[in-house]
């Protein structure tokens, strides 16, 4: 058995390159002037101008000259121009100049720029949990739901685990404890962190001479502290990563109770310890288990997570797990277990830092240099020689007091090498050009920024057209509202699951890239140069380990809002309401294959949508016996099945691969040119009363999909109705993966219940 490592990339930021709508407050030099946001009418764009940017600049120039030409205020360039999220610009104006702008052709509205606080981790906002109604309010922010986190331990002193605002009565079902150990005593638990245990006997048994460096539930790695605070951390003002993503940190379920079960050690990760931790969590009375790890290359009956999560499912405990970081290859997913939730990782709509040219133009880029370095108004050095950044020798001929602009390269490995060369050459700063997400692996050790190839054209034109071009790199800036997002992270493992490919995995996607959450303060979170290590109480980390606790937190909220729902019902609600569209209302893209839209093998049903999951309309439920029927169909022996079920009370009278699952996957043999798959599904009406649903199918390429009946009529709440799906596929080219969906649409448009469909060759597993 090969144990996997926790599913995160340390840290693995991903760049998003398209300009945003979010504004930073800008302060003019004169007391009587202010920054204004000006909306313009796009339909009145004058044809005399080439771009909207030119039009906006002409408006500003006209207010600074003419009748106001003898103003003592220096002319200001645009602060920002906007053409996506809004149409207009921002600039510094006096009250007189503002009136002149109001009289300009195409003016719509203007108002003062407002300083604001970005809410961190920001992902709760990205998922629309901050709406005036919805899942947060329906669940009272997850109050009294208990989430057990199976991980590397916890740093109890973190502000994220304070119990301010928590009710002072722990639910009576809680049977756990706060286990004492090295540098950890019972007083470190409270009404937020209600339990902490550790399990390392498996590690010790494997090596009797091993010395456990931190023999307690205390986290020395940072992973467990990060994931648990993402699930249910309390409100913390002023959290940031060295000034980036600064704001109010909070977990997805900020009023949930947390319990840590430390099973991952610097000395090793063993299945026995994982089983012990899961076992104890179930016994302690948790409602949700969040586990950001997995075991590769093992059958279900040897997988400690599969085994222990079956027991959790029987007791109504929702288990949320990470898909793994083996992407973008297909068939790399672990935790493809039919009775738990498997979560893929996606990007979010946030980026950091900007490049400001000497002419005032601002380029939004990507940098996480962990200091507010002064890289201002320095010469911008651009050589047509593309090898300038490819060796220390070539860079040594460049002036040190300047910002080098490196040419575009398509291979991310070359850009990473360029970074090393520039760092060794000790230039004042550097601008790298790349559209490859992998370029941003790791934090920036050197004052630099990455910009997109599209934006680079503006920079290059400026450098070529000015005799003495200059630039500044701005650090510790945060921009949100970036389009398009989310995208599937390239590292996120893809299905089908090698352990059980007949259920479509992953189930859903959640934010996993650049998630800010609590961290261990004695573990390096950044580095400057080669020898300056920097700690941080909060860290930006990426991986499916970060996506999993987002889904765990949403599951906790659903558990609070619908305590009567089974684990399968909660998973169904999450799957059928997930969105396959990004924030531009286009299909979600796959960063592993940038030219392609993401398939369900990469993102499941799509991005998790908490508020819609609160009221899904229909759910696909399942009983423990339904899952046993799957195991029976696999021809597992009675003993192998018993390792999972722990009880002989189940039977193999009706073996079947066809689980009542909220998605469909049809695998065909490489040797045959056609396939017919029949699926039977039963849905339960969890709406508010009578309802009629009609089927709408988007057929996978090369397939004919028939749904019978095409209409489902419900007379009352909790009534069940069944239907069949017949997929006929004929291989029209070489082996091919195709996908579509089945959507049940309620008459009146209140609910839509969507299930992805995948048709794929069995050989991809």
């Amino acid at each position: 058995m090969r144990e996997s490592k926790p599913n995160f990339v340390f840290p693995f930021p991903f760049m998003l390159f398209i300009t945003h709508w979010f504004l930073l407050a800008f302060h003019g030099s004169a007391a009587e002037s202010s920054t204004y946001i000006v909306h313009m009418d796009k339909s009145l764009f004058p044809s005399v101008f080439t771009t909207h940017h030119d039009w906006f600049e002409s408006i500003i120039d006209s207010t600074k000259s003419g009748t106001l030409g003898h103003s003592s205020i220096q002319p200001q360039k645009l602060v920002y121009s906007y053409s996506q999220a809004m149409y207009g610009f921002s600039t510094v104006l006096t009250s007189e100049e503002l009136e002149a702008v109001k009289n300009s052709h195409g003016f719509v509205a203007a108002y003062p720029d407002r300083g604001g606080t970005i809410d961190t981790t920001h992902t709760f906002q990205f998922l629309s949990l901050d709406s005036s109604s919805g899942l947060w309010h329906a669940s009272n922010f997850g109050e009294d739901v208990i989430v057990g986190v199976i991980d590397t331990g916890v740093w109890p002193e973190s502000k994220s685990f304070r119990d301010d605002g928590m009710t002072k009565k722990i639910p009576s079902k809680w049977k756990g404890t706060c286990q004492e150990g090295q540098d950890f005593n019972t007083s470190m638990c409270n009404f937020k962190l209600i339990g902490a245990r550790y399990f390392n006997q498996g590690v010790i048994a494997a090596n009797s001479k091993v010395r456990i460096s931190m023999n307690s539930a205390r986290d020395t790695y940072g992973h467990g502290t990060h994931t648990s605070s993402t699930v249910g951390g309390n409100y913390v003002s002023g959290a940031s990563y060295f000034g980036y993503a600064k704001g109010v940190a909070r977990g997805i379920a900020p009023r949930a109770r947390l319990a840590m079960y430390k099973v991952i050690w610097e000395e090793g990760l063993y299945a026995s310890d994982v089983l012990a931790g899961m076992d104890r969590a179930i016994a302690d009375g948790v409602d949700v288990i969040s586990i950001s790890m997995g075991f590769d290359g093992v059958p279900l009956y040897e997988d400690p997570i599969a085994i222990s999560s079956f027991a959790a499912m029987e007791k109504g405990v929702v288990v949320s797990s990470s898909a793994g970081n083996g992407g973008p290859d297909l068939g790399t997913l672990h935790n493809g277990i039919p009775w738990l939730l498997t979560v893929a990782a996606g990007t979010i709509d946030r980026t950091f830092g900007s490049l400001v040219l000497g002419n005032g133009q601002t380029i939004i880029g990507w940098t996480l240099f962990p200091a507010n370095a002064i890289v201002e108004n320095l010469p911008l050095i651009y050589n047509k020689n593309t090898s300038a950044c490819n060796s220390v020798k070539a860079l040594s001929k460049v002036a040190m007091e300047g910002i080098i602009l490196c040419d575009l390269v398509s291979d991310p490995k070359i850009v990473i090498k360029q970074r090393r060369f520039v760092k060794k050459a000790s230039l004042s700063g550097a601008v790298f050009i790349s559209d490859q997400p992998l370029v941003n692996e790791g934090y920036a050790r050197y004052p630099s920024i990455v910009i997109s190839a599209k934006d680079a054209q503006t920079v290059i034109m400026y450098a070529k057209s000015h005799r003495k071009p200059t630039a500044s790199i701005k650090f510790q800036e945060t921009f949100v509202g970036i389009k398009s997002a989310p995208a599937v992270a390239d590292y996120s493992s893809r299905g089908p699951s090698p352990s059980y490919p007949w259920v479509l995995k992953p189930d859903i996607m959640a934010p996993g890239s650049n998630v800010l959450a609590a961290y261990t303060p004695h573990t390096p979170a950044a580095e400057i140069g080669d020898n300056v290590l920097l700690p941080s109480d909060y860290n930006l980390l990426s991986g499916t380990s970060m996506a999993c606790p987002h889904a765990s937190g949403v599951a906790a909220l659903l558990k609070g809002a619908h305590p009567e729902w089974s684990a399968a019902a909660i998973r169904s609600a999450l799957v059928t309401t997930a969105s396959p569209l990004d924030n531009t209302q286009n299909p979600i893209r796959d960063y592993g294959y940038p030219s392609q839209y993401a398939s369900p093998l990469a993102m499941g049903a799509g991005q998790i949508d908490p508020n819609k999951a609160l009221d899904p309309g229909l759910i696909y439920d399942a009983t423990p016996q339904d899952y046993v029927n799957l195991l029976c169909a696999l021809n597992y022996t009675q003993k192998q099945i018993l390792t999972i079920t722990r009880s002989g009370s189940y039977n193999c009278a009706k073996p079947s691969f066809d689980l009542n699952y909220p998605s469909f996957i049809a695998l065909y043999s490489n040797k045959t040119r056609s396939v017919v798959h029949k699926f039977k599904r039963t849905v339960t009406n969890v709406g508010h009363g009578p309802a009629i649903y009609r089927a709408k199918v988007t057929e996978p390429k090369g397939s004919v999909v028939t749904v019978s009946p095409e209409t489902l009529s419900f007379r009352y709440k909790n009534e069940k109705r069944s239907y069949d799906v017949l997929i006929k596929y004929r291989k029209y080219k070489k082996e091919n993966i195709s996908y579509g969906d089945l959507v049940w649409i309620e008459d009146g448009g209140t609910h839509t219940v969507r299930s992805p469909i995948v048709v794929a060759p069995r050989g991809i597993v």
Side-chain angles (χ1 to χ4, degrees):
M1 182 185 303
R2 179 168 65 89
E3 68 271 12
S4 77
K5 294 185 178 180
N7 296 310
F8 81 116
V9 182
F10 170 71
F12 193 70
F14 271 68
M15 184 166 185
L16 304 175
F17 298 114
I18 303 178
T19 311
H20 61 95
W21 53 264
F22 183 77
L23 301 173
L24 292 177
F26 183 93
H27 303 284
S29 58
E32 66 271 27
S33 62
S34 300
T35 304
Y36 288 87
I37 301 168
V38 181
H39 291 252
M40 302 295 290
D41 187 343
K42 190 174 184 178
S43 68
L44 298 180
F45 173 73
S47 59
V48 67
F49 297 105
T50 305
T51 67
H52 67 274
H53 185 90
D54 295 335
W55 182 29
F56 301 156
E57 278 196 326
S58 75
I59 294 171
I60 296 172
D61 289 342
S62 68
T63 65
K64 303 293 183 181
S65 58
T67 58
L68 301 175
H70 42 90
S71 170
S72 61
I73 302 171
Q74 293 296 316
Q76 297 287 337
K77 296 291 185 182
L78 286 177
V79 177
Y80 290 109
S81 60
Y82 312 95
S83 62
Q84 301 297 319
M86 65 163 277
Y87 191 76
F89 58 91
S90 58
T91 187
V92 177
L93 300 170
T94 65
S95 57
E96 291 179 336
E97 291 165 342
L98 174 62
E99 290 305 312
V101 169
K102 288 181 178 179
N103 292 323
S104 62
H105 173 73
F107 172 81
V108 176
Y111 47 84
D113 195 5
R114 299 174 178 87
T117 301
I118 301 173
D119 287 321
T120 304
T121 62
H122 174 64
T123 49
F124 76 90
Q125 192 177 41
F126 186 42
L127 297 175
S128 299
L129 278 168
D130 60 335
S131 61
S132 58
S133 60
L135 186 53
W136 252 1
H137 300 278
S139 66
N140 199 18
F141 301 86
E143 185 176 59
D144 281 346
V145 178
I146 303 171
V147 182
V149 183
I150 314 295
D151 218 299
T152 65
V154 64
W155 193 265
E157 294 87 354
S158 171
K159 293 180 180 179
S160 290
F161 305 119
R162 289 180 176 176
D163 59 3
D164 302 345
M166 302 293 295
T167 57
K168 304 306 179 185
K169 184 179 179 181
I170 296 173
S172 58
K173 65 182 177 181
W174 174 245
K175 309 300 180 185
T177 188
C178 193
Q179 185 179 0
E180 290 192 346
Q182 182 180 350
D183 296 339
F184 203 109
N185 57 57
T186 56
S187 65
M188 292 176 175
C189 292
N190 54 29
F191 293 107
K192 162 59 73 176
L193 181 65
I194 62 173
R197 297 181 187 266
Y198 59 100
F199 305 86
N200 55 25
Q201 294 307 301
V203 174
I204 295 171
N207 182 4
S208 59
K209 296 181 180 180
V210 70
R211 181 181 178 276
I212 303 296
S213 57
M214 180 56 68
N215 195 28
S216 70
R218 180 171 293 279
D219 186 11
T220 57
Y221 193 29
H223 189 269
T225 299
H226 198 278
T227 56
S228 54
S229 62
T230 300
V231 173
N234 212 333
Y235 297 82
V236 179
S237 299
S240 77
Y241 175 77
F242 300 103
Y244 298 97
K246 189 173 183 179
V248 179
R250 75 204 72 186
I252 295 299
R255 286 292 175 254
R257 316 278 184 173
L258 294 172
M260 173 56 66
Y261 298 84
K262 182 177 177 180
V263 302
I264 304 174
W265 303 83
E266 293 181 16
E267 295 77 17
L269 165 61
Y270 287 86
S272 56
D273 293 331
V274 174
L275 281 168
M278 293 275 284
D279 184 75
R280 192 64 253 177
I282 296 168
D284 284 347
V286 303
D287 299 297
V288 176
I289 290 176
S290 184
I291 182 162
S292 291
M293 71 179 84
F295 290 76
D296 296 312
V298 291
L300 295 175
Y301 54 82
E302 291 182 1
D303 186 336
I305 298 175
I307 294 167
S308 51
S309 62
F310 189 92
M313 173 272 301
E314 287 180 303
K315 291 182 176 289
V317 177
V318 182
V319 179
S320 171
S321 68
S322 49
N325 295 331
D329 292 340
L330 294 170
T332 54
L333 175 142
H334 58 212
N335 293 327
I337 300 162
W339 44 86
L340 53 66
L341 182 71
T342 311
V343 188
T347 64
I348 62 176
D349 63 338
R350 180 172 60 187
T351 191
F352 308 102
S354 63
L355 175 70
V356 181
L357 304 181
N359 64 1
Q361 287 183 284
T362 298
I363 307 295
I364 306 304
W366 176 276
T367 180
L368 283 177
F369 184 69
N372 193 18
I374 300 175
V375 185
E376 294 187 353
N377 299 319
L378 296 176
L380 179 62
I381 304 163
Y382 176 68
N383 297 322
K384 293 182 180 179
N385 181 3
T386 58
S387 63
C389 294
N390 292 343
S391 74
V392 177
K393 183 178 180 180
L395 286 168
S396 64
K397 300 176 183 178
V398 177
M400 294 298 103
E401 289 299 319
I403 300 172
I404 184 74
L405 175 61
C406 299
D407 269 1
L408 170 68
V409 291
S410 57
D411 187 347
K413 294 180 181 178
I414 294 178
V415 182
I416 293 170
K417 286 183 179 179
Q418 286 181 341
R419 281 177 163 175
R420 298 195 195 105
F421 296 147
V422 170
K423 180 173 66 69
K424 289 182 179 179
S426 299
L427 273 76
S428 299
V431 180
F432 302 101
I433 305 170
S434 179
D435 289 331
Q436 297 293 327
L438 278 171
V439 167
N440 297 297
E441 182 175 356
Y443 39 75
R445 301 182 180 184
Y446 173 80
S448 60
I449 192 167
V450 182
I451 63 174
S452 71
K454 180 180 177 182
D455 288 334
Q457 296 306 309
T458 301
V459 181
I460 292 171
M461 287 179 61
Y462 165 74
K464 286 180 176 180
S465 61
H466 287 69
R467 190 167 62 87
K468 291 184 178 181
T470 61
S472 304
I473 301 176
K474 300 296 184 180
F475 304 100
Q476 297 183 340
E477 292 181 330
T478 301
F479 305 100
V480 299
I482 302 298
K483 293 180 169 53
S484 55
V488 179
D490 74 313
Y491 56 78
S492 189
S493 290
R494 272 63 170 174
S497 165
S499 61
Y500 194 86
W502 296 278
V503 166
L504 179 57
K505 294 284 184 172
D507 292 299
I508 53 169
M509 183 176 77
S513 291
N514 304 305
V515 175
L516 186 79
Y519 202 60
T520 51
H522 300 314
T523 303
E527 186 176 344
I528 296 178
D530 293 324
N531 58 354
V532 179
L533 303 178
L534 302 174
S536 177
D537 291 336
Y538 288 81
N539 201 355
L540 283 167
L541 297 180
S542 296
T544 55
S545 274
M546 284 64 249
C548 169
H550 281 86
S552 307
V554 175
L557 296 174
L558 286 174
K559 194 75 173 177
H562 295 290
E564 76 283 4
W565 280 6
S566 68
I570 289 176
R571 179 184 58 217
S572 173
L574 293 173
V575 170
T576 62
T577 59
S579 175
L581 305 179
D582 63 24
N583 57 6
T584 68
Q585 296 306 300
N586 289 307
I588 290 172
R589 289 204 168 269
D590 189 334
Y591 267 12
Y593 307 93
S595 63
Q596 298 180 16
Y597 293 129
S599 85
L601 294 175
M603 67 174 183
Q607 174 87 336
I608 192 171
D609 190 330
N611 293 330
K612 284 189 176 180
L614 173 64
D615 183 19
L618 305 176
I619 58 169
Y620 295 78
D621 214 341
T623 67
Q625 180 63 56
D626 293 331
Y627 297 114
V628 173
N629 293 342
L630 290 179
L631 302 177
C632 298
L634 285 170
N635 291 323
Y636 281 179
T637 67
Q638 186 177 357
K639 288 185 177 180
Q640 289 169 340
I641 294 174
L642 202 59
T643 62
I644 298 171
T645 63
R646 313 167 333 284
S647 168
S649 61
Y650 299 107
N651 64 73
C652 278
K654 296 180 179 180
S656 174
F657 284 119
D658 192 16
L659 178 66
N660 195 39
Y661 213 75
S663 58
F664 304 88
I665 182 168
L667 299 175
Y668 61 86
S669 170
N670 299 353
K671 297 179 181 180
T672 60
R673 296 193 59 83
S674 62
V675 64
V676 177
H677 272 272
K678 186 174 182 179
F679 302 87
K680 186 178 182 62
R681 294 290 188 267
T682 300
V683 288
T684 304
N685 176 27
V686 292
H688 302 295
I692 296 174
Y693 286 83
R694 304 182 192 276
K696 179 184 177 182
V697 176
T698 302
E699 295 176 330
K701 199 169 185 178
S703 297
V704 175
V705 179
T706 304
V707 180
S708 179
E710 295 181 336
T711 301
L712 299 177
S713 181
F714 298 90
R715 296 167 295 169
Y716 51 86
K717 186 175 182 178
N718 293 324
E719 185 179 11
K720 298 180 185 293
R721 285 284 183 263
S722 297
Y723 67 91
D724 294 328
V725 173
L726 189 68
I727 300 176
K728 296 181 180 179
Y729 172 76
R730 183 171 179 81
K731 188 161 51 177
Y732 63 97
K733 288 183 180 178
K734 60 182 181 179
E735 292 176 10
N736 185 64
I737 300 170
S738 57
Y739 54 92
D741 59 31
L742 163 62
V743 184
W744 288 100
I745 302 173
E746 183 183 11
D747 283 2
T750 306
H751 299 104
T752 57
V753 186
R754 178 179 174 272
S755 295
I757 302 171
V758 171
V759 178
R762 193 169 298 175
I764 67 173
V765 180

